[in-house]
PDB file of all heavy atoms in Angstrom:
ATOM      1  N   GLY A  33      -0.317  16.565   4.983  1.00 61.00           N
ATOM      2  CA  GLY A  33       0.876  15.692   4.572  1.00 61.00           C
ATOM      3  C   GLY A  33       1.990  15.874   5.529  1.00 61.00           C
ATOM      4  O   GLY A  33       3.160  15.810   5.233  1.00 61.00           O
ATOM      5  N   CYS A  34       1.678  16.262   6.889  1.00 68.00           N
ATOM      6  CA  CYS A  34       2.883  16.357   7.757  1.00 68.00           C
ATOM      7  C   CYS A  34       3.518  15.070   7.911  1.00 68.00           C
ATOM      8  O   CYS A  34       2.970  13.928   7.820  1.00 68.00           O
ATOM      9  CB  CYS A  34       2.390  16.920   9.121  1.00 68.00           C
ATOM     10  SG  CYS A  34       1.582  15.661  10.142  1.00 68.00           S
ATOM     11  N   PRO A  35       4.830  15.154   8.170  1.00 70.00           N
ATOM     12  CA  PRO A  35       5.749  14.010   8.236  1.00 70.00           C
ATOM     13  C   PRO A  35       5.147  12.754   9.082  1.00 70.00           C
ATOM     14  O   PRO A  35       5.138  11.739   8.762  1.00 70.00           O
ATOM     15  CB  PRO A  35       6.967  14.526   8.916  1.00 70.00           C
ATOM     16  CG  PRO A  35       7.062  15.897   8.523  1.00 70.00           C
ATOM     17  CD  PRO A  35       5.551  16.377   8.419  1.00 70.00           C
ATOM     18  N   LYS A  36       4.548  13.187  10.321  1.00 72.00           N
ATOM     19  CA  LYS A  36       4.034  12.051  11.230  1.00 72.00           C
ATOM     20  C   LYS A  36       2.900  11.302  10.483  1.00 72.00           C
ATOM     21  O   LYS A  36       2.799  10.046  10.500  1.00 72.00           O
ATOM     22  CB  LYS A  36       3.537  12.699  12.478  1.00 72.00           C
ATOM     23  CG  LYS A  36       3.844  11.730  13.635  1.00 72.00           C
ATOM     24  CD  LYS A  36       3.523  12.356  14.960  1.00 72.00           C
ATOM     25  CE  LYS A  36       3.620  11.199  16.036  1.00 72.00           C
ATOM     26  NZ  LYS A  36       2.793  11.416  17.183  1.00 72.00           N
ATOM     27  N   ASN A  37       1.939  12.012   9.734  1.00 81.00           N
ATOM     28  CA  ASN A  37       1.022  11.312   9.060  1.00 81.00           C
ATOM     29  C   ASN A  37       1.500  10.500   7.905  1.00 81.00           C
ATOM     30  O   ASN A  37       1.138   9.322   7.652  1.00 81.00           O
ATOM     31  CB  ASN A  37      -0.017  12.409   8.377  1.00 81.00           C
ATOM     32  CG  ASN A  37      -0.832  13.014   9.365  1.00 81.00           C
ATOM     33  OD1 ASN A  37      -1.046  12.521  10.569  1.00 81.00           O
ATOM     34  ND2 ASN A  37      -1.587  14.128   9.060  1.00 81.00           N
ATOM     35  N   VAL A  38       2.466  11.022   7.161  1.00 83.00           N
ATOM     36  CA  VAL A  38       2.985  10.320   6.018  1.00 83.00           C
ATOM     37  C   VAL A  38       3.792   9.048   6.680  1.00 83.00           C
ATOM     38  O   VAL A  38       3.697   7.962   5.963  1.00 83.00           O
ATOM     39  CB  VAL A  38       3.986  11.194   5.259  1.00 83.00           C
ATOM     40  CG1 VAL A  38       4.667  10.450   4.077  1.00 83.00           C
ATOM     41  CG2 VAL A  38       3.214  12.338   4.626  1.00 83.00           C
ATOM     42  N   LEU A  39       4.456   9.104   7.671  1.00 86.00           N
ATOM     43  CA  LEU A  39       5.098   8.014   8.409  1.00 86.00           C
ATOM     44  C   LEU A  39       4.205   6.824   8.755  1.00 86.00           C
ATOM     45  O   LEU A  39       4.448   5.763   8.335  1.00 86.00           O
ATOM     46  CB  LEU A  39       5.821   8.441   9.693  1.00 86.00           C
ATOM     47  CG  LEU A  39       6.940   7.560  10.200  1.00 86.00           C
ATOM     48  CD1 LEU A  39       8.089   7.483   9.140  1.00 86.00           C
ATOM     49  CD2 LEU A  39       7.527   8.235  11.499  1.00 86.00           C
ATOM     50  N   ALA A  40       3.093   7.311   9.346  1.00 89.00           N
ATOM     51  CA  ALA A  40       2.032   6.194   9.583  1.00 89.00           C
ATOM     52  C   ALA A  40       1.438   5.539   8.364  1.00 89.00           C
ATOM     53  O   ALA A  40       1.384   4.337   8.297  1.00 89.00           O
ATOM     54  CB  ALA A  40       0.925   6.830  10.369  1.00 89.00           C
ATOM     55  N   ILE A  41       1.299   6.352   7.287  1.00 88.00           N
ATOM     56  CA  ILE A  41       0.773   5.628   5.996  1.00 88.00           C
ATOM     57  C   ILE A  41       1.880   4.760   5.443  1.00 88.00           C
ATOM     58  O   ILE A  41       1.537   3.706   5.084  1.00 88.00           O
ATOM     59  CB  ILE A  41       0.513   6.893   5.039  1.00 88.00           C
ATOM     60  CG1 ILE A  41      -0.752   7.609   5.601  1.00 88.00           C
ATOM     61  CG2 ILE A  41       0.158   6.280   3.740  1.00 88.00           C
ATOM     62  CD1 ILE A  41      -0.913   8.966   4.968  1.00 88.00           C
ATOM     63  N   LYS A  42       3.047   5.264   5.524  1.00 86.00           N
ATOM     64  CA  LYS A  42       4.190   4.314   5.058  1.00 86.00           C
ATOM     65  C   LYS A  42       4.347   3.068   5.746  1.00 86.00           C
ATOM     66  O   LYS A  42       4.569   1.995   5.145  1.00 86.00           O
ATOM     67  CB  LYS A  42       5.507   5.137   5.026  1.00 86.00           C
ATOM     68  CG  LYS A  42       5.563   6.251   4.010  1.00 86.00           C
ATOM     69  CD  LYS A  42       6.851   6.482   3.368  1.00 86.00           C
ATOM     70  CE  LYS A  42       6.703   7.523   2.221  1.00 86.00           C
ATOM     71  NZ  LYS A  42       5.877   7.086   1.199  1.00 86.00           N
ATOM     72  N   ASP A  43       4.089   3.096   7.062  1.00 89.00           N
ATOM     73  CA  ASP A  43       4.239   1.936   7.899  1.00 89.00           C
ATOM     74  C   ASP A  43       3.171   0.966   7.483  1.00 89.00           C
ATOM     75  O   ASP A  43       3.406  -0.255   7.361  1.00 89.00           O
ATOM     76  CB  ASP A  43       3.945   2.325   9.429  1.00 89.00           C
ATOM     77  CG  ASP A  43       5.110   2.928  10.012  1.00 89.00           C
ATOM     78  OD1 ASP A  43       6.255   2.899   9.383  1.00 89.00           O
ATOM     79  OD2 ASP A  43       5.060   3.515  11.159  1.00 89.00           O
ATOM     80  N   ALA A  44       1.926   1.505   7.207  1.00 90.00           N
ATOM     81  CA  ALA A  44       0.807   0.648   6.724  1.00 90.00           C
ATOM     82  C   ALA A  44       1.092   0.084   5.450  1.00 90.00           C
ATOM     83  O   ALA A  44       0.903  -1.201   5.261  1.00 90.00           O
ATOM     84  CB  ALA A  44      -0.444   1.443   6.773  1.00 90.00           C
TER      85      ALA A  44
END
Side-chain angles (χ1 to χ4, degrees):
Chain A
C34 76
K36 219 174 167 208
N37 283 348
V38 174
L39 196 61
I41 294 164
K42 290 212 175 295
D43 286 348

